[in-house]
């Protein structure tokens, strides 16, 4: 794939060498993300960061990644404050905003909307999630995290066994991650969800066709004994017709330290795209896991910045100039102490 000027709207765009290329550039971003070095390579560039659905980490992670490369961020959040409420089409918004920006990140509740927007944009568009469809940059940061966590255990992604748990029907992160795993060998995936919230059939089919061993269950503890990763997800309440319908499934698959100790191998990695629903009736990932060294959820968010820096650098074609525009930090760096 030619990254220069590319839109990133689906994991289907990626071949394995493309993913490896993103990961190797992400590795090189570490000194900048850790604030050991500062680069100004994107000085003068503007990111239009447009989020039409709630977001904390994805929005701020895209923005921070762009800032860390020296660029400026201009944000629009929510429909109410945009001209979309006046009936403007997404394509017109794209025609306008791409005149002000060098790259655009976008999250929108409608499936396919980010690709529609991209089709009218004059600058690259990176998806931050389109409804219940896909979340490609999350899948890349998830797999980058999996790669690092397994490397620490002397393993590679090939041969991975992962349990995906929770709302697999509406959860766009597992849709993209399932697709991404098709590029690897000897993968086994255990899908654990209520039947009504199972992973869409077309994604399951595509995974099986690529050689992934897929098993399906609605029972948690029986299925997490021999996996490398448990990947938990939130019930996507906002995609249900009513809160009451979401309530039927909330809290069904809780993981806490006692369950982990009893049913998981002692080094099983715990992941979640976040936010985890910590309300007592949900509590899918208990805070008593917070001191468990295998809880990788905050390493995931840190890795997200590296992966998004890599994507910006590749799409804007500055990978080989990042270091030439860099200097050491001048200020007290709390992260190094
Ligand atoms: C996810 C999302 O928005 O799809 N969050 C994220 O981007 N890290 C998952 C979720 O909201 O449950």
């Amino acid at each position: 794939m030619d990254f220069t000027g590319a839109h990133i709207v689906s994991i289907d765009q990626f071949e394995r060498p493309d993913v490896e290329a993103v990961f190797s550039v992400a590795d090189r971003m570490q000194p900048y993300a850790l604030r050991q070095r500062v680069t100004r390579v994107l000085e003068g560039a503007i990111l239009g960061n447009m989020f039409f659905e709630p977001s904390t980490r994805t929005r701020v992670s895209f923005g921070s990644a762009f800032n860390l490369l020296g660029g400026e961020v201009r944000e629009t959040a929510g429909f109410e404050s945009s001209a979309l409420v006046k009936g403007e089409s997404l394509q017109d918004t794209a025609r306008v905003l791409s005149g002000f920006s060098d790259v655009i990140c976008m999250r929108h509740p409608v499936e396919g909307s980010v690709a529609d927007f991209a089709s009218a944009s004059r600058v690259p568009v990176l998806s931050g999630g389109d409804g219940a469809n896909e979340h490609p940059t999350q899948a890349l940061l998830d797999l980058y995290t999996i790669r690092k966590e397994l490397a620490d255990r002397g393993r590679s992604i090939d041969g991975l066994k992962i349990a995906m748990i929770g709302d697999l029907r509406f959860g766009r992160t597992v849709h993209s991650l399932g697709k991404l795993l098709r590029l690897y060998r000897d993968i086994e995936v255990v899908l654990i969800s209520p039947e009504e919230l199972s992973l869409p059939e077309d994604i399951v089919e595509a995974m099986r066709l690529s050689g992934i061993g897929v098993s399906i269950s609605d029972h948690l503890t029986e299925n997490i004994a021999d996996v490398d990763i448990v990947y938990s997800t939130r019930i996507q309440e906002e995609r249900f017709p009513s809160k009451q319908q979401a309530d039927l499934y909330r809290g069904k698959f809780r993981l806490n330290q006692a369950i982990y100790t009893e049913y998981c191998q002692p080094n099983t990695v715990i992941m979640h795209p976040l936010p985890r629903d910590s309300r007592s009736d949900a509590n899918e990932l208990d805070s008593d896991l917070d001191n468990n060294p295998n809880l990788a959820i905050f390493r995931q968010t840190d890795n997200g910045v590296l992966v998004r820096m890599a994507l910006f650098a590749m799409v804007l074609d500055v990978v080989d100039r990042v270091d030439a525009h860099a200097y050491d930090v001048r200020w007290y760096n709390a992260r190094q102490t």
Side-chain angles (χ1 to χ4, degrees):
M1 149 179 192
D2 182 3
F3 279 91
T4 307
H7 303 303
I8 310 280
V9 295
S10 170
I11 280 299
D12 291 334
Q13 298 171 247
F14 288 80
E15 301 287 344
R16 183 162 169 163
D18 306 321
V19 178
E20 309 291 339
V22 172
F23 290 174
S24 90
V25 177
D27 287 341
R28 288 163 57 187
M29 297 299 157
Q30 186 86 8
Y32 303 104
L34 289 178
R35 316 307 276 144
Q36 293 157 347
R37 304 264 296 156
V38 170
T39 178
R40 307 304 305 163
V41 69
L42 287 186
E43 188 160 34
I46 296 177
L47 163 65
N49 211 19
M50 304 177 52
F51 276 70
F52 298 115
E53 270 194 330
S55 173
T56 305
R57 76 220 77 239
T58 304
R59 179 173 54 84
V60 179
S61 167
F62 270 124
S64 301
F66 207 73
N67 287 151
L68 285 164
L69 291 167
E72 308 275 345
V73 182
R74 182 153 291 277
E75 266 185 8
T76 301
F79 283 104
E80 321 73 48
S81 56
S82 84
L84 292 168
V85 287
K86 300 182 184 177
E88 183 170 59
S89 70
L90 270 178
Q91 283 84 357
D92 273 4
T93 308
R95 288 178 190 110
V96 173
L97 287 173
S98 56
F100 310 155
S101 316
D102 296 281
V103 57
I104 292 174
C105 293
M106 183 171 180
R107 169 174 289 186
H108 191 283
V110 177
E111 296 182 21
S113 55
V114 181
D116 274 358
F117 180 93
S119 69
S121 170
R122 288 170 278 166
V123 300
V125 175
L126 276 57
S127 174
D130 60 326
N133 183 29
E134 275 216 50
H135 195 343
T137 66
Q138 178 73 40
L140 290 167
L141 79 87
D142 286 340
L143 194 65
Y144 183 71
T145 304
I146 290 171
R147 169 180 171 266
K148 274 192 175 175
E149 299 289 323
L150 292 182
D152 290 345
R153 293 159 174 77
R155 302 265 313 278
S156 65
I157 300 171
D158 293 315
L160 165 76
K161 183 163 184 182
I162 180 171
M164 297 182 182
I165 303 159
D167 184 352
L168 309 182
R169 176 179 179 193
F170 296 120
R172 55 192 169 198
T173 72
V174 282
H175 299 171
S176 291
L177 184 57
K179 289 179 173 197
L180 186 53
L181 289 173
R182 290 177 305 170
L183 304 178
Y184 291 81
R185 285 187 298 276
D186 303 321
I187 305 290
E188 279 186 70
V189 180
V190 191
L191 302 172
I192 304 171
S193 72
E195 202 187 332
E196 300 80 2
L197 301 185
S198 53
L199 197 72
E201 197 50 45
D202 59 321
I203 301 178
V204 176
E205 270 313 297
M207 288 164 70
R208 285 192 168 134
L209 266 177
S210 76
I212 297 181
V214 181
S215 55
I216 298 177
S217 171
D218 61 357
H219 201 275
L220 179 69
T221 52
E222 286 168 4
N223 288 292
I224 52 176
D226 60 347
V227 298
D228 304 299
I229 314 270
V230 286
Y231 186 104
S232 178
T233 64
R234 180 180 66 88
I235 300 298
Q236 305 284 294
E237 181 181 317
E238 63 276 34
R239 315 248 180 258
F240 285 76
S242 71
K243 181 177 175 302
Q244 286 73 13
Q245 272 156 294
D247 285 343
L248 295 175
Y249 305 105
R250 213 187 296 281
K252 255 186 168 268
F253 302 113
R254 295 165 190 246
L255 190 63
N256 58 28
Q257 187 58 51
I259 293 173
Y260 182 90
T261 307
E262 184 169 353
Y263 295 101
C264 293
Q265 298 292 321
N267 63 352
T268 305
V269 181
I270 307 163
M271 295 177 61
H272 191 300
L274 300 182
R276 56 176 157 173
D277 188 342
S278 295
R279 289 170 290 194
S280 57
D281 59 343
N283 207 18
E284 59 233 3
L285 221 50
D286 199 291
S287 58
D288 73 358
L289 289 161
D290 288 0
N291 292 323
N292 184 324
N294 298 302
L295 185 76
I297 56 178
F298 302 115
R299 295 193 285 277
Q300 277 173 272
T301 50
D302 282 353
N303 289 334
V305 173
L306 299 175
V307 166
R308 292 184 173 116
M309 288 176 79
L311 290 171
F312 285 133
M314 294 168 88
V315 162
L316 296 176
D317 195 21
V318 293
V319 171
D320 293 329
R321 274 170 293 183
V322 171
D323 298 332
H325 293 266
Y327 51 86
D328 289 338
V329 296
R330 305 184 184 111
W331 57 88
Y332 166 70
N333 184 348
R335 293 189 218 187
Q336 286 184 325
T337 55

